[in-house]
């Protein structure tokens, strides 16, 4: 068969086919007479030799790439046992067969190219192909064991080989080889078939996995085993998209992170790089980041270069296409195959560019994510080592900002930083292309652009200063809002709502929205410059071109030039943004560097040694040591201390406020800087700080604190710390969630909780900072007996207690008196009493003052000056603990402790086994910012909508925005888009005219009209933006904010108790910000892009009507993809934002408890916890950025199809001589090339609109909150003089705090006569404070009512009621502002009245000395007044109120003895003689002289009579008096 074919018959119709070779006139290495080509001289096709160049190139790449793949597989992937199956054999057999057929082809070629085969390239191509097949065979052989997915090199090899084969096959058919040389053609066809089969086997049939991999990890990220095509198209995201489309995604649906993205891994990499930097004198964070994460980033840069170059190939192809179409008007039309090639090339370029671009994006985003995670971990672990010097200059808020804001800046920079070189590169490419098109006249356009840059810069500067001003306004509003929320109770009690609403509205409407209007106008102007720039550029360029050059301005110049100008706007717009991002990032880098290099704790301050074994051995020793809080200042905290504590002993440290008690404990912990001397601690430490530090977790987690769970000892601890009764009253026992900063516990409970944590830790050395001052006397006694004393749980431990509690001193083994940082006296109790020194005096005065061993608070006010030394920010969260302690009594009803229950346990645990640390099993507490489970104590879960936002929300927003204005806006939008399209159409007409004339007639007319179109479009654009901002958006946000603020002010108190302040603040800050600034912008972008895409489709359809048929299927596909994406992306974004806030919350919490964490040596556990939380956030963040890529790749594919279709249809239409003009094709194509961008934007904006409209929904939700009773009931207003008598009666009154809780007051019947002085007593939680709440209707009655002067208070408005009663609350709420605002926010009273009340409140002198007198500034929370002065301010407020009834919720801990005495005398003075005074007492001695006393017990009135009578009855009151050792005082006062 073969022989009969060898002679090339002369009758052959084809003289120069693929298999022809001649010795004559041939080019080197090519036996064919057509030579190397590449295009054959005789027909529109490649020459035979050139066809094989393609195949040879693929084969060479296969050999090189295959070698690389083999090396990679051997070095990086360990082999695993995988069974061989049919798939494995089928692939290898197919390759074997292919090698065979290729060898057969080579043999045939030797036969055909007689004598010259050795010098013919076509023969060597076959040989190279055989070699490359051998290499690929080997790769596919070893990948069976070493890889879970098909190798990328192999897949690309088969893909390209098939494409090259297909080109060759087409050429062979066109040369009609299948007629002449059947044998070769058949063999070649078999090869093509085998290659296709192999490609399918390798790519689409899944590999057999090893048994280990087959078990697999459900949550493993599919990226790990995705093949190269899946990576390029992001198909590995599809399962997640599908799941998100079917159900709402939750945290459990998310994949685990890839190993290289986990915080552990990135933190280690960064840590290593940073340590390397720290060896230098000036460490650079930039270099550390580059060293740790630079690799993928620079690979991204290479990919980006490729994508940029391809971007500028499109206009060149467009030019070829237009000249192709144009050739059909002449007599030599170009062959159709050339047009097809151009269209396919456009498609391929578009697709490749998409693939490259998104690989680059993915790398940038991953780098950003890694930088943020690693810096977060680095900042956290640094904060565990910060010394006081390091902490002093930085408040907690600042440090949290480093983690929240500065790392975010760096992440943003990583995402867009590449533009810094890429944008100039694009601009240069663009200039070159334009120069090639237009020659020198392109500089006119460039000049126009350059002129616009400073203009835009100037606008940007104005914007920036406006934004800064706006930030100030926002801060002012947020601060005011925070104060309002923190002091809501006081605002309601004082009936000040209207005053505060007007203050809020002033800041909001007169300052914030005014600035916002300016911002809107600037925005409109900047839009104008942006939208005119492309027009000015093209106008000037074409104008100069027409005037200076003698070429005709034809379609094939105009449209490529327009496309290039469009490409140019992006890099020009992005450059200034990147530069500002770099500036911001460098500021952030500076701040983070200064934090990471801040001073750390002194390592050798404390020597830690092993624990001692026997009682009496020394376990803490301080020798001749001096310490300071700040080593850069002279001031020392402690001088020349000598101190030692022994195992099994209790050492007490006493001294006045600010004498250094806490400092001594901190010195033993190693928190202070040691100047000289030595400190030795033997064994583990446990520490109870003065300000109890409680984590936002369950009570049990707070006690166990990372140690192993031991139920028996836990129960013992709880009993000893007197917590069992508390557990029985907490809603969920020890599983109760403690809110932020322990908000649901009272102060005493928090103190005992931290003590329990220390006891449970079973350490060797206990450092207790005044844990008795926050608890009631009888509880204190219990703690002394069961924990601290010689018979307590800790009897065998070393205990160092800083205290002022006298009873404890009697039990202690050593007492040390500190005075101004020096040890003044030390010895046992008896020695010191005998010495008659300072301590003896202290004890004596304390005993006299209360005639008892009651806790002397004379020298210990909880808010001591010491706090200022710790470097806490003034007015930090700590100050609120007291208010919370009391505010929280609602939730905690402590049953009275039975006296003497400590006597049962005599046996003392001499030495307790030490608590071993539990291993870290994932985090404590919640990773999400959501509450779950059926626990009652949880705060109400924040309502977060799942799924689509209802249309009604959009409708509501449009209504609030003013529907007429919205209509105008849409009309103008269409107008401006039509004008801009009109400009392009005019340009097309002009260039066609020029083409016909071969010159440029009527220049002025054409340019003028073109210019008019451009400017008109831009002008409409400005008006549209102005309407949108000023009439729609700002109107809407003003109304929405007003409605929400009003609703919040009118909400009943229980709303604020069940909703964390942060959540409400969030609505007022971030949600309102979105409504103010983001929403309008997003809507605008959405509408503009939708209009653009619509016009594009119209233009393409106008040029080639066939295209209309494609619109429907493409549109359907587009909507389908978009719906998929919308659902998933929305849930992923939600998961991302929900899981972000716990990171910061946990960080803030750890910062405030750092000394505790260090004392228990738990830094590692907390760092792990932080990493865990960051990972939980990244698990949502990574899919959400990948989902964006997934979408973009698919949409750009649709865009590429549109390009292919519009080019293809144009070619078909021209070829069938429809007379389609080149101008029309140019116009359609220049729009088609832009459509991908518009399509992409539309989906992005839809998602953004959806995410941001949620803010409107949340604001509307709060605007519809249920409100309390009306302020004023006009039909029922009390007489002006009411209450003139001041008689109060409770009639069968019961109430609860809120629906679903138990009654706190049950059937109370009380009659209080006018002008009586009444004391209210009872144990914690008996309902004392509830009585006040009931009187002021902060809580409404469940049944019964309160009447004042025989007027039922439930029938009148709240404002009328509350403004006629006076109260001095437990916590004096002071606001930022002047003193006048604080006394009289409504500005109703004049100066003389104010001065007279200040006189009575003993504040006159102090106020007179302040700068500004009545207008003196008060800081937030009143932090520049002492606690006592704050209390006096609230006394002054009470004096201002025109009332005959005064309620005194007695302040316990805040006031020192002298102020207390002053208050008491003022209250007993003539001013108050004819007022009814109701005192809620915590200290019995202050109410012994009342007329009558109400004793409450568990919400009922147990006793109500005069003090003497009650003592005689020997009931509950007698018990309380006896416990306080005041019986003697009673007898004295009666006699």
């Amino acid at each position: 068969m073969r022989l009969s074919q060898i002679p090339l018959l002369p009758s052959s119709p084809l003289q120069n086919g693929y298999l022809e070779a001649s010795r004559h006139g041939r080019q080197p290495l090519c036996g064919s007479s057509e030579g190397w080509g590449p295009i054959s001289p005789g027909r529109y096709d490649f020459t035979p030799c050139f066809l094989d160049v393609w195949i040879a190139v693929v084969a060479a790449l296969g050999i090189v790439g295959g070698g690389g793949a083999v090396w990679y597989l051997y070095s990086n992937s360990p082999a695993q046992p995988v069974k061989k199956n049919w798939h494995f054999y089928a692939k290898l057999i197919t390759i074997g067969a292919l090698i065979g057929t290729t060898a057969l082809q080579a043999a045939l070629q030797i036969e055909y190219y007689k004598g010259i085969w050795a010098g013919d390239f076509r023969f060597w191509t076959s040989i190279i192909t055989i070699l490359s097949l051998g290499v690929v065979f080997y790769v596919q052989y070893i990948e069976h064991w070493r890889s879970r997915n098909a190798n990328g090199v192999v897949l690309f090899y088969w893909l390209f080989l098939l494409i090259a084969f297909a080109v060759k096959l087409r050429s062979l058919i066109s040369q009609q080889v299948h007629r002449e040389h059947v044998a070769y053609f058949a063999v070649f066809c078999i090869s093509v078939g085998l290659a296709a089969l192999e490609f399918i086997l390798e790519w689409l049939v899944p590999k057999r996995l090893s048994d280990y991999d087959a078990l697999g990890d459900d949550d493993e990220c599919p990226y790990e085993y995705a093949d190269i095509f899946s990576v390029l198209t992001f198909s590995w995201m599809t399962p997640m998209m599908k799941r998100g489309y079917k159900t709402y995604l939750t945290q459990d649906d998310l994949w685990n992170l890839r190993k290289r993205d986990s915080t552990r891994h990135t933190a280690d990499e960064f840590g290593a790089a940073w340590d390397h930097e720290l060896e230098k004198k000036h460490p650079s964070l930039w270099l550390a980041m580059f060293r740790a994460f630079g690799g993928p980033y620079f690979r991204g840069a290479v990919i980006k270069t490729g994508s940029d170059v391809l971007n500028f190939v499109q206009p060149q192809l467009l030019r070829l296409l237009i000249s192709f179409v144009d050739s059909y008007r002449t007599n030599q039309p170009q062959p159709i195959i050339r047009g097809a090639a151009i269209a396919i090339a456009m498609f391929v370029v578009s697709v490749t560019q998409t693939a490259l671009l998104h690989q680059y994006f993915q790398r940038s985003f991953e780098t950003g994510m890694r930088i943020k995670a690693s810096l977060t971990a680095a900042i956290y672990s640094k904060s565990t080592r910060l010394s006081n010097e390091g902490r002093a200059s930085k408040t907690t808020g600042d440090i949290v900002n480093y983690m929240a804001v500065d790392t975010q800046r760096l992440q943003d920079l990583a995402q867009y930083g590449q533009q810094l070189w890429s944008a100039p590169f694009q601009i240069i490419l663009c200039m070159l292309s334009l120069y090639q098109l237009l020659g020198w006249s392109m500089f006119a356009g460039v000049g126009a652009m350059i002129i616009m840059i400073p203009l835009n810069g100037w606008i940007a500067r104005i914007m920036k200063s406006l934004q800064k001003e706006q930030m100030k306004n926002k801060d002012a509003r947020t601060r005011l809002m925070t104060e309002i929320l923190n002091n809501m109770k006081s605002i309601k009690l004082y009936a000040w709502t209207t005053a505060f609403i007007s203050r809020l509205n002033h800041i909001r409407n007169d300052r914030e929205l005014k600035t916002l209007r300016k911002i809107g106008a600037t925005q409109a102007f900047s839009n104008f410059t942006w939208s005119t720039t492309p027009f000015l550029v093209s106008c000037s360029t074409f104008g100069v071109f027409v005037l200076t050059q003698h070429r005709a301005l034809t379609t094939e110049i105009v449209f490529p030039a327009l496309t290039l100008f469009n490409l140019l706007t992006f890099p020009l717009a992005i450059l200034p943004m990147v530069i500002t991002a770099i500036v911001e990032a460098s500021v952030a880098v500076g701040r983070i560097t200064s934090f990471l290099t801040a001073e750390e704790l002194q390592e050798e301050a404390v020597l830690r040694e092993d624990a001692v074994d026997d009682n009496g051995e020394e376990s803490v020793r301080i020798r001749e040591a001096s310490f300071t809080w700040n080593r850069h200042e002279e001031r020392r905290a402690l001088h020349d201390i000598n101190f030692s504590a022994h195992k099994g002993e209790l050492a007490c440290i006493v001294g006045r406020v600010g004498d250094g008690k806490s400092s001594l404990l901190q010195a033993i912990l190693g928190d202070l800087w040691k100047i000289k001397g030595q400190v030795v601690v033997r064994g583990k430490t446990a520490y109870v700080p003065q300000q109890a530090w409680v984590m936002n977790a369950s009570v049990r987690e707070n006690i166990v604190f990372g140690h192993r769970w031991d139920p028996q000892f836990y129960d013992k601890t709880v009993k000893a710390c007197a917590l069992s009764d508390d557990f029985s009253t907490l809603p969920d026992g020890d599983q109760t969630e403690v809110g932020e900063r322990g908000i649901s516990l009272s102060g005493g409970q928090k103190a005992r909780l931290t003590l329990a944590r220390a006891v449970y830790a079973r350490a060797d050395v206990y450092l207790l900072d005044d844990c008795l001052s926050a608890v009631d006397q009888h509880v204190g006694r219990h703690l002394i007996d069961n924990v601290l004393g010689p018979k307590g749980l800790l009897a065998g431990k070393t205990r160092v207690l800083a205290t002022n509690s006298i009873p404890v001193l009697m039990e202690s083994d050593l007492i040390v008196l500190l005075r101004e940082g020096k040890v003044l006296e030390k010895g046992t109790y008896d020695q010191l009493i005998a010495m008659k020194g300072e301590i003896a005096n202290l004890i004596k005065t304390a005993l006299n003052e209360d005639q008892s061993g009651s806790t002397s608070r004379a020298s210990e006010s909880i808010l001591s000056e010491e706090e200022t030394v710790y470097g806490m920010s003034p007015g930090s969260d700590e100050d609120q603990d007291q208010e919370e302690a009391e505010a929280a009594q609602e939730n905690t009803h402590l049953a009275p402790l039975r006296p003497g229950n400590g006597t049962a346990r005599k046996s003392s645990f001499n030495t307790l086994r030490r608590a071993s640390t539990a291993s870290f099993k994932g985090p404590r507490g919640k990773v999400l910012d959501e509450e779950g489970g059926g626990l009652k104590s949880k705060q109400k879960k924040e309502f977060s909508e799942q799924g689509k936002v209802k249309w009604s929300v959009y409708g509501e927003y449009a209504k609030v925005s003013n529907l007429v204005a919205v209509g105008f806006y849409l009309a103008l939008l269409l107008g401006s888009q039509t004008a801009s399209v009109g400009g392009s159409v005019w340009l097309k007409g002009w260039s066609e005219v020029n083409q016909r004339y071969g010159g440029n007639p009527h220049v002025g007319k054409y340019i003028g009209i073109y210019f008019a179109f451009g400017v008109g479009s831009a002008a409409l654009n400005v008006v549209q933006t102005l309407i949108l901002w000023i009439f729609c958006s700002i109107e809407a946000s003003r109304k929405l904010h007003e409605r929400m603020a009003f609703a919040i002010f009118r909400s009943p108190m229980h709303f604020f108790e069940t909703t964390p302040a942060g959540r409400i603040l969030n609505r007022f800050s971030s949600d309102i910000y979105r409504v103010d600034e983001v929403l309008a912008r997003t809507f605008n972008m959405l509408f503009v892009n939708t209009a653009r895409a619509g016009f594009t489709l119209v233009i393409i359809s106008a040029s080639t009507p066939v295209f209309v048929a494609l619109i429907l299927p493409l549109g359907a596909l587009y909507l389908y993809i978009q719906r998929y994406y919308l659902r998933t992306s929305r849930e992923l974004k939600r998961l991302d934002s929900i899981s972000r806030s716990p990171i910061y919350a946990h960080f803030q919490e750890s910062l405030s408890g750092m000394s505790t964490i260090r004392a228990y040596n738990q830094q590692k556990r907390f760092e792990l916890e932080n990493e865990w939380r960051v990972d939980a956030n990244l698990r949502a963040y990574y899919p959400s950025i990948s989902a964006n890529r997934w979408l973009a790749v698919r949409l750009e594919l649709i865009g590429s199809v549109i390009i292919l279709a519009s080019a293809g249809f144009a070619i078909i239409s021209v070829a069938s001589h429809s007379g389609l003009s080149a101008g029309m094709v140019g116009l359609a194509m220049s729009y088609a090339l832009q459509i991908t961008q518009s399509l992409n934007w539309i989906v992005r904006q839809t998602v953004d609109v959806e995410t941001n409209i949620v803010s409107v929904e949340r604001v509307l939700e709060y605007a519809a909150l249920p409100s309390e009773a009306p302020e004023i009931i006009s039909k029922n207003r009390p007489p002006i003089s009411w209450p003139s008598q001041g008689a109060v009666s409770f009639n069968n009154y019961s109430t609860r705090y809120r629906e679903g809780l138990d009654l706190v007051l049950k059937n109370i019947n009380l009659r209080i006569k006018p002008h009586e002085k009444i004391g209210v007593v009872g144990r914690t939680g008996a309902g004392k404070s509830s009585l006040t709440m009931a009187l002021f209707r902060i809580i409404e009655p469940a049944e019964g009512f309160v009447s004042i002067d025989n007027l039922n208070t439930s029938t009148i408005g709240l404002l009328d009621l509350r403004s006629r009663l006076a109260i001095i609350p437990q916590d004096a709420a002071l606001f930022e502002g002047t003193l006048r605002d604080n006394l009289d926010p409504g500005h109703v009273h004049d100066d003389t009245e104010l001065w007279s009340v200040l006189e009575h409140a003993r504040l006159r002198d102090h106020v007179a000395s302040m700068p500004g007198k009545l207008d003196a500034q008060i800081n937030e929370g009143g932090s520049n007044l002492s606690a006592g002065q704050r209390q006096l301010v609230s006394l002054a407020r009470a004096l201002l109120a025109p009332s005959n009834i005064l309620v005194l919720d007695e302040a316990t801990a805040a006031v020192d003895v002298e102020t207390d005495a002053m208050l008491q005398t003022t209250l007993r003075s003539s001013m108050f003689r004819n007022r009814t005074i109701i005192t809620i007492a915590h200290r019995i001695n202050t109410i012994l002289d009342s007329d009558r006393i109400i004793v409450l017990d568990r919400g009922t009135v147990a006793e109500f009579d005069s003090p003497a009578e009650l003592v005689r009855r020997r009931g509950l009151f007698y018990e309380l008096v006896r416990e306080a050792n005041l019986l003697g005082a009673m007898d004295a006062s009666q006699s």
Side-chain angles (χ1 to χ4, degrees), residues 742-753:
I743 199 157
S744 50
L745 300 179
S746 71
Q749 286 172 322
K750 280 193 281 201
R752 297 202 300 279
L753 183 63

Side-chain angles (χ1 to χ4, degrees), residues 648-858:
E649 290 187 3
L650 168 62
C652 288
I653 305 168
V654 292
R656 286 205 216 115
V657 172
D659 275 341
K661 299 188 297 295
S662 300
S663 306
L664 181 59
L665 295 182
Q666 300 268 26
I668 299 174
L669 285 176
D671 283 358
L672 269 69
W673 185 267
K674 187 178 68 181
I675 300 173
K676 58 173 188 144
Q678 115 186 103
V679 183
V680 182
V681 175
R682 300 195 172 89
K684 283 170 49 180
T685 49
Y687 171 62
V688 177
Q690 191 172 14
Q691 296 270 321
W693 176 70
V694 186
M695 301 184 298
N696 187 359
S698 71
V699 175
R700 177 184 294 182
E701 287 172 284
N702 265 300
I703 295 177
V704 176
F705 204 62
H707 294 102
R708 215 163 264 144
W709 172 241
D710 170 353
Q712 281 80 26
F713 187 68
Y714 177 76
D715 290 341
K716 258 179 207 154
T717 305
V718 169
K719 282 202 188 74
C721 293
L723 281 167
S724 358
D725 288 346
D726 299 317
F727 285 1
S728 59
T729 56
L730 288 173
D732 303 297
D734 64 352
Q735 291 298 339
T736 304
E737 287 289 326
V738 183
E740 306 164 63
R741 304 195 312 273
I743 199 157
S744 50
L745 300 179
S746 71
Q749 286 172 322
K750 280 193 281 201
R752 297 202 300 279
L753 183 63
T754 40
L755 182 62
R757 172 191 302 159
V759 174
Y760 187 82
R762 284 161 281 186
D764 305 297
V765 178
Y766 280 81
L767 306 170
L768 312 168
D769 196 345
D770 202 3
C771 53
L772 293 174
S773 68
V775 296
D776 301 342
Q777 286 161 23
H778 56 281
V779 181
R781 185 74 256 166
H782 177 99
L783 292 179
I784 294 169
D785 294 341
N786 291 297
V787 182
L788 305 170
K791 298 204 177 62
L793 263 185
L794 301 181
K797 309 288 192 179
T798 312
R799 318 186 281 297
V800 183
L801 171 68
T803 186
N804 279 313
S805 152
I806 305 294
V808 146
L809 297 183
M810 303 178 184
E811 314 261 348
S812 62
D813 303 289
L814 168 73
I815 300 175
V816 178
L817 173 68
L818 289 178
R819 176 61 48 82
E820 292 174 359
K822 299 189 184 61
V823 174
L824 203 59
E825 305 176 4
K826 60 179 173 183
T828 61
Y829 184 75
D830 302 332
Q831 286 170 344
L832 291 168
I833 291 285
M835 274 169 58
K836 295 212 161 59
E838 288 270 339
I839 293 190
N841 290 340
L842 184 80
I843 293 173
K844 215 160 59 223
T845 51
L847 290 178
N848 292 346
E849 178 192 303
D850 282 1
Q851 281 122 18
S852 74
S854 96
T855 313
S856 141
R857 291 224 178 70

Side-chain angles (χ1 to χ4, degrees), residues 866-1144:
E866 290 173 63
E867 254 59 293
T868 51
V869 195
Y870 295 164
M872 304 244 176
S873 56
S876 63
D877 304 345
E878 272 71 8
D879 299 355
Q880 295 166 6
D881 281 352
Q882 273 161 314
E883 291 119 66
E884 282 158 13
E886 311 301 344
Q889 285 179 2
E890 294 99 63
N891 322 20
T892 56
H893 318 304
L894 300 185
L897 284 158
R898 290 169 301 291
N901 59 356
T903 49
R905 192 191 301 109
K906 286 279 189 295
S907 62
S908 89
F909 298 87
N910 200 357
T911 45
L912 297 169
R913 249 190 59 254
R914 214 177 283 151
S916 51
T917 318
S919 54
F920 182 77
K921 296 191 190 64
R924 110 185 122 64
K926 308 172 290 295
V927 187
L928 291 193
D929 195 4
E930 288 187 76
E931 322 285 345
L935 301 184
K936 297 182 211 127
S937 58
K938 298 273 192 168
Q939 293 161 333
K940 279 210 296 270
K941 176 178 170 188
E942 178 157 12
F943 176 70
S944 85
E945 283 279 352
Q946 280 187 320
K948 236 178 133 43
V949 179
K950 299 184 190 53
W951 284 109
S952 58
V953 177
Y954 291 98
E956 188 63 35
Y957 183 64
K959 267 208 276 297
V960 192
S961 303
N962 183 346
L963 290 170
V964 182
V966 176
F968 266 111
Y969 160 75
L970 290 172
L972 286 167
L973 172 96
L974 284 175
S976 82
Q977 285 299 324
T978 317
S980 102
V981 170
S984 304
V985 173
W986 180 256
L987 205 62
K988 159 197 163 260
W990 179 23
S991 56
E992 283 178 341
V993 169
N994 293 346
Q995 210 150 358
R996 275 205 297 283
Y997 278 95
N1000 302 315
H1002 309 306
V1003 175
K1005 166 182 135 187
Y1006 284 112
I1007 277 206
I1009 291 181
Y1010 180 53
F1011 186 74
F1013 268 121
V1015 175
S1017 153
L1020 288 172
N1021 195 339
V1022 172
V1023 182
Q1024 145 204 340
T1025 317
L1026 282 175
I1027 286 185
L1028 177 70
W1029 273 96
I1030 290 167
F1031 293 107
C1032 303
S1033 164
I1034 293 181
E1035 258 318 278
S1037 58
R1038 182 181 62 85
K1039 287 180 193 156
L1040 287 171
H1041 180 272
E1042 260 172 28
R1043 277 159 63 173
M1044 175 160 77
F1046 187 70
I1048 288 287
F1049 273 107
R1050 299 288 299 122
S1051 286
M1053 203 55 220
H1054 69 74
F1055 170 75
F1056 299 97
E1057 281 151 15
T1058 52
T1059 316
R1063 191 178 294 168
I1064 304 175
L1065 260 183
N1066 212 352
R1067 308 261 160 138
F1068 275 97
S1069 51
S1070 67
D1071 286 329
I1072 284 288
Y1073 159 73
R1074 289 204 181 134
V1075 177
D1076 279 354
E1077 300 188 29
V1078 186
L1079 202 54
R1081 250 203 317 262
T1082 345
F1083 266 123
N1084 191 26
M1085 295 283 282
L1086 175 65
F1087 289 144
V1088 168
N1089 281 301
T1090 313
R1092 264 193 207 146
F1095 274 113
T1096 304
L1097 294 177
V1098 168
I1099 289 172
I1100 298 179
S1101 312
S1103 71
T1104 47
V1106 194
F1107 184 75
V1108 178
L1110 254 187
I1111 290 184
L1112 276 176
L1114 280 181
L1117 182 62
Y1118 178 73
L1119 287 173
Y1120 177 66
I1121 291 178
Q1122 185 205 25
R1123 293 244 315 283
Y1124 245 72
Y1125 169 76
L1126 272 180
R1127 288 195 181 178
T1128 310
S1129 164
R1130 186 173 52 218
E1131 297 305 310
L1132 285 173
K1133 275 201 176 126
R1134 235 192 73 243
L1135 289 172
D1136 174 37
S1137 60
I1138 295 178
S1139 59
R1140 184 170 296 155
S1141 41
I1143 300 176
Y1144 308 134

